[in-house]
Amino acid sequence: MSGAPVETIGSRLAARGGFGPGFDWIRIVLAVSVAATHINSIVPRDAGHFALPPAYHFGILYAFFGLSGFLVTASAERLGLGQFRLNRSLRIFPALMVDIALSAMVLGALFTTLPLVAYYAHPTTHRYLLNMLGAVQLRLPGVFEASTVGAVNYSLWTVPFELACYALIGGLILTRGFRLAPGLALLWVAAGFAVAALAGRLGPIEPALRHLFVLKGSRLLVAFLLGIAAYRWRGRIPRRPGLLAAALVACVALDLGLAPSEDAVFYPALSLLLGVPVLYVTLWLGTADLPTPALLTRGDYSYGIYLYHWPIMQALVLVLPDLRHAGVYFLVVMPVVAGFAALSWHLIEKPVLRQRRRFSFAARQRGKAPVPGPPHTLP
């Protein structure tokens, strides 16, 4: 007599119409966690800091990109390349462009040490607008130059990697090669070890290779590829509390032996050791029946939190220099960040979602429109 069928990530999603009830929670928690890791870099060096484990720093963005790969693959498998690119562009660029414009035109003008005419005429101010296209520019003239980290919005460093992830999945759409994702993830890690081993012998392309395969951004591409693989295998990935506990134990055990390192293979090694446990925890929680507060049903504020937290934190540290502890700054600043994220959602992102409804199941759900077409798809 056969036992009950094993619940999988895929069967859990199918039973809930293809929409993971915990994914909105996960996105918000991850965005707030990114802000928590960044506040330590922004407060004065002599202020109190959070004590955060190395695996936490590694895992937050890894989970973000792994979850993105998982969710985006659902639409990528059913859309042509043109529709997919439009879908992703409408989700990413409008809010990003407004954030960049506000930082350059308003925030920079308020905090620059230069005369306003000189500030607006400065080439660095003009170059900052290139962030709208994914060309990262971290500084504005005379803005936050005396702070611990002079970057106006350091969070923007991930934007080129996000665009690279979409280029990767675009290639998979053209070739219908989604099944190749797990092999590509392993090859990416192997390339990281190879580039590290051949340091100094790769000629003028070595900086670009290190950027893609060895340095901190390399883990984001590996995570995205593993997310694609997890979506493809969602019907085979068992969803068991015991496996969740094992994944958490693996993360904790690895963290006990970790320290932030400049070693050339630090990030490839972490991708190899921590990648699967981190992604499993993310997907297990994302498919959990977590109660959804009314606030989270009104929109996805995670992208706004990610975009706005760094410049608002920088401004707060200058305006309120005597709070003296990262935890206090964090508690004071997050309501302000949440307010900007809500404005971004309701004034920019949500209106754009109306243009995405025919491409995105999640967009239709959040827009409260009828859901035509297959019910099992994800954003």
Side-chain angles (χ1 to χ4, degrees):
M1 183 175 178
S2 61
V6 175
E7 184 180 52
T8 65
I9 297 294
S11 66
R12 184 85 167 190
L13 285 172
R16 286 151 182 80
F19 202 80
F23 286 141
D24 286 336
W25 263 113
I26 292 293
R27 280 190 286 256
I28 289 291
V29 168
L30 290 175
V32 172
S33 297
V34 169
T37 65
H38 284 167
I39 192 66
N40 279 337
S41 300
I42 294 173
V43 298
R45 291 187 177 89
D46 59 349
H49 289 70
F50 285 122
L52 296 172
Y56 183 87
H57 287 271
F58 172 88
I60 296 304
L61 282 177
Y62 199 100
F64 238 138
F65 273 70
L67 180 59
S68 177
F70 184 88
L71 297 177
V72 165
T73 301
S75 61
E77 285 190 329
R78 60 189 171 82
L79 295 179
L81 180 60
Q83 288 184 325
F84 176 79
R85 290 170 61 183
L86 175 62
N87 188 14
R88 290 293 91 201
S89 296
L90 290 175
R91 183 67 187 101
I92 297 301
F93 285 109
L96 175 66
M97 293 171 74
V98 172
D99 170 77
I100 299 307
L102 288 175
S103 294
M105 300 295 107
V106 181
L107 182 76
L110 289 173
F111 286 93
T112 185
T113 56
L114 300 181
L116 281 182
V117 172
Y119 169 78
Y120 284 123
H122 202 287
T124 304
T125 304
H126 306 158
R127 283 195 297 270
Y128 192 81
L129 299 178
L130 293 174
N131 283 305
M132 295 181 181
L133 304 177
V136 177
Q137 310 289 320
L138 295 179
R139 296 184 182 275
L140 284 168
V143 180
F144 303 147
E145 289 181 343
S147 65
T148 305
V149 179
V152 173
N153 193 346
Y154 186 72
S155 299
L156 298 176
W157 77 268
T158 63
V159 172
F161 289 97
E162 186 169 9
L163 298 180
C165 287
Y166 296 148
L168 277 174
I169 203 168
L172 298 181
I173 291 172
L174 284 175
T175 61
R176 310 314 296 174
F178 292 98
R179 67 186 183 281
L180 302 176
L184 287 174
L186 289 174
L187 282 174
W188 213 276
V189 173
F193 286 111
V195 171
L198 295 172
R201 287 175 281 174
L202 296 172
I205 65 170
E206 183 166 337
L209 292 176
R210 286 179 55 80
H211 196 61
L212 279 175
F213 297 110
V214 177
L215 301 180
K216 63 183 180 180
S218 64
R219 75 190 193 271
L220 308 182
L221 294 155
V222 175
F224 191 83
L225 287 167
L226 283 181
I228 296 172
Y231 183 79
R232 293 281 297 176
W233 292 348
R234 64 195 182 281
R236 304 177 190 176
I237 301 174
R239 188 182 181 281
R240 294 174 176 166
L243 288 177
L244 173 67
L248 289 169
V249 168
C251 291
V252 172
L254 286 167
D255 185 70
L256 292 176
L258 283 178
S261 173
E262 298 299 324
D263 190 279
V265 297
F266 181 68
Y267 288 108
L270 282 188
S271 292
L272 186 64
L273 296 172
L274 272 175
V276 171
V278 167
L279 184 57
Y280 186 82
V281 171
T282 303
L283 297 181
W284 200 101
L285 294 176
T287 52
D289 288 323
L290 300 176
T292 305
L295 181 65
L296 292 188
T297 65
R298 296 172 186 166
D300 179 5
Y301 302 137
S302 59
Y303 189 37
I305 291 172
Y306 188 83
L307 285 178
Y308 284 100
H309 75 272
W310 184 286
I312 293 174
M313 286 177 174
Q314 284 274 48
L316 180 74
V317 169
L318 285 181
V319 172
L320 300 173
D322 298 322
L323 296 183
R324 310 310 303 161
H325 196 282
V328 178
Y329 278 113
F330 186 75
L331 292 175
V332 172
V333 78
M334 284 314 296
V336 181
V337 173
F340 272 82
L343 289 173
S344 177
W345 171 262
H346 291 289
L347 298 181
I348 301 152
E349 298 166 61
K350 185 177 179 181
V352 170
L353 277 179
R354 297 191 183 102
Q355 307 304 315
R356 292 178 64 226
R357 284 181 187 165
R358 64 194 181 104
F359 306 124
S360 171
F361 174 72
R364 293 193 296 266
Q365 290 291 90
R366 292 196 184 96
K368 305 302 181 184
V371 184
H376 59 277
T377 53
L378 288 163

